[in-house]
Amino acid sequence: MKPILMLALGLTLSGAALAGPARAAGASDSETERQARWDEIARSIFGDRKIEATDTLIKVDAPARALDAALVPITLTMPEKDKIKGVHFVIDDNPSPYAAHFQFGPAADRGELKLRVRINNYTNVHAVAETTDGRLYEATKFVKASGGCSAPMGMSDEEAMRGMGDMKMKFGESQPGKPIEATLMIRHPNFSGMQMNQVTRDYTPARYIQKVSVTYGDKTIFDLDGDISIASNPVINFAFLPEGKGPIKVAASDNQGGRWEHSFNAPSPSN
C-alpha cells in the first residue's frame, strides 16, 4: 500500500501547487475538478481497472459538515455482503488520500464497518468495494471539513504516546446463528507528520498504525492497511461469525517498527 500512498501524496501536493489557495481549501472546486482529482487517485491505486458506480453494493455515511475534522465518523454499509471481498476508503483531498484498505477473511460478517478519520479539506470521500469476482464498485460522499490532519492532539507528544499499543474490545449481544458486533480500540497517537509540537514548535514525526490483523481462532476476520488519515486512537467497529472456537487475536504494527498483540475472549452465542 505504501508506494501507492506516496504517489497519491505527490498528486495532492502538485494539484495544490498548480491551482493555488482555492485548490488547497477545496471549497471552491468544481465537480469537473473533483472528478479529475478522483480519476488521478483511482489510476494510482487501481491502475486501468474499471470502477462502477453502485447504489446497492456499498454505501458510505459521513456527516455533511464535520463537527471535528480530526475525528470524522464514517460508516460503510455493504447490503449484499456475501459478494464483498474487500473495501478501499479514499479521502480525495487529504495529503495521503488512500486512508484504509480492509481485506475480509472467512470469519468476517461484511455487512458494516465503522471507523474515524481525519479530513483536511472540503472533499469527496470514496468507498470502493471489491467483489469476490474481482469487480470494483464505488460510492461517494462530499464532506465539509478543514484542518483535520494538522489538528493538535491537545496534549504533549509524551502524553499522547503513553500506553501506546494498549487495546480494548467490546462485544455486542450474541445470539445463536447471528453475527456478533465488536468494537476494537487501539491506543496510538497516529501522528500525521503535520502536527506541531506546542512546546518545541517543531513538527512531530509521522507515526501511525500501518497494519491491523484480526483473527478468530484460525480464521481471519479482516486485515487492515492504514495510513495517516485514520484518526488518533483508532476505533473500528466490525462484526464476525461466531463459528468455531478460540480467542479473537489482534496484531497491530506501525510505520516505526512498533508491534503489539492482544487476545480477547469471544462471547459464546446465547442459548
Side-chain angles (χ1 to χ4, degrees):
M1 185 174 177
K2 195 60 182 178
I4 296 173
L5 285 170
M6 295 305 295
L7 174 58
L9 174 59
L11 291 171
T12 302
L13 296 177
S14 64
L18 289 172
R23 175 61 182 167
S28 60
D29 288 358
S30 67
E31 285 302 316
T32 300
E33 289 173 310
R34 294 191 191 284
Q35 184 60 47
R37 172 73 180 129
W38 168 238
D39 290 343
E40 283 186 302
I41 296 171
R43 279 194 298 271
S44 74
I45 298 173
F46 304 108
D48 294 331
R49 297 174 68 186
K50 181 180 179 181
I51 306 175
E52 304 173 60
T54 182
D55 293 324
T56 59
L57 285 172
I58 189 164
K59 300 179 181 181
V60 54
D61 183 46
R65 183 182 294 275
L67 295 177
D68 184 343
L71 288 169
V72 183
I74 302 293
T75 299
L76 306 176
T77 307
M78 284 73 68
E80 299 180 52
K81 58 187 180 182
D82 292 338
K83 296 181 180 180
I84 306 301
K85 179 170 68 173
V87 174
H88 308 259
F89 187 68
V90 179
I91 305 170
D92 293 16
D93 283 281
N94 268 16
S96 187
Y98 195 4
H101 175 211
F102 289 89
Q103 189 80 11
F104 296 114
D109 178 82
R110 303 141 197 241
E112 184 178 86
L113 285 170
K114 294 182 181 180
L115 68 160
R116 303 184 305 186
V117 300
R118 299 176 169 125
I119 294 183
N120 215 47
N121 295 321
Y122 285 35
T123 183
N124 281 335
V125 301
H126 284 85
V128 178
E130 184 169 4
T131 58
T132 54
D133 61 0
R135 299 174 70 178
L136 300 173
Y137 296 87
E138 64 164 306
T140 310
K141 183 77 182 265
F142 182 71
V143 180
K144 297 178 180 179
S146 182
C149 292
S150 58
M153 294 282 291
M155 61 184 75
S156 69
D157 292 353
E158 292 75 17
E159 289 175 306
M161 295 175 68
R162 191 171 298 143
M164 189 165 57
D166 289 349
M167 301 183 199
K168 295 181 180 179
M169 189 174 291
K170 295 181 179 179
F171 297 99
E173 182 180 357
S174 60
Q175 299 179 18
K178 299 289 186 181
I180 297 177
E181 295 182 359
T183 301
L184 170 64
M185 295 159 278
I186 305 175
R187 184 163 178 80
H188 196 288
N190 259 33
F191 291 129
S192 67
M194 299 172 62
Q195 297 149 313
M196 181 177 288
N197 185 300
Q198 299 302 299
V199 176
T200 66
R201 310 305 291 173
D202 293 326
Y203 287 99
T204 301
R207 183 165 190 176
Y208 54 89
I209 294 286
Q210 273 189 316
K211 293 185 178 294
V212 178
S213 178
V214 183
T215 58
Y216 175 57
D218 61 354
K219 295 181 179 180
T220 298
I221 299 176
F222 68 81
D223 291 317
L224 165 65
D225 289 303
D227 208 80
I228 66 169
S229 293
I230 295 180
S232 60
N233 299 318
V235 177
I236 303 168
N237 295 78
F238 63 96
F240 66 98
L241 305 173
E243 301 169 356
K245 297 181 180 180
I248 290 185
K249 295 182 179 180
V250 181
S253 58
D254 70 17
N255 67 314
Q256 291 195 19
R259 181 174 174 82
W260 306 271
E261 296 184 1
H262 199 91
S263 294
F264 302 91
N265 291 325
S268 300
S270 303
N271 294 322

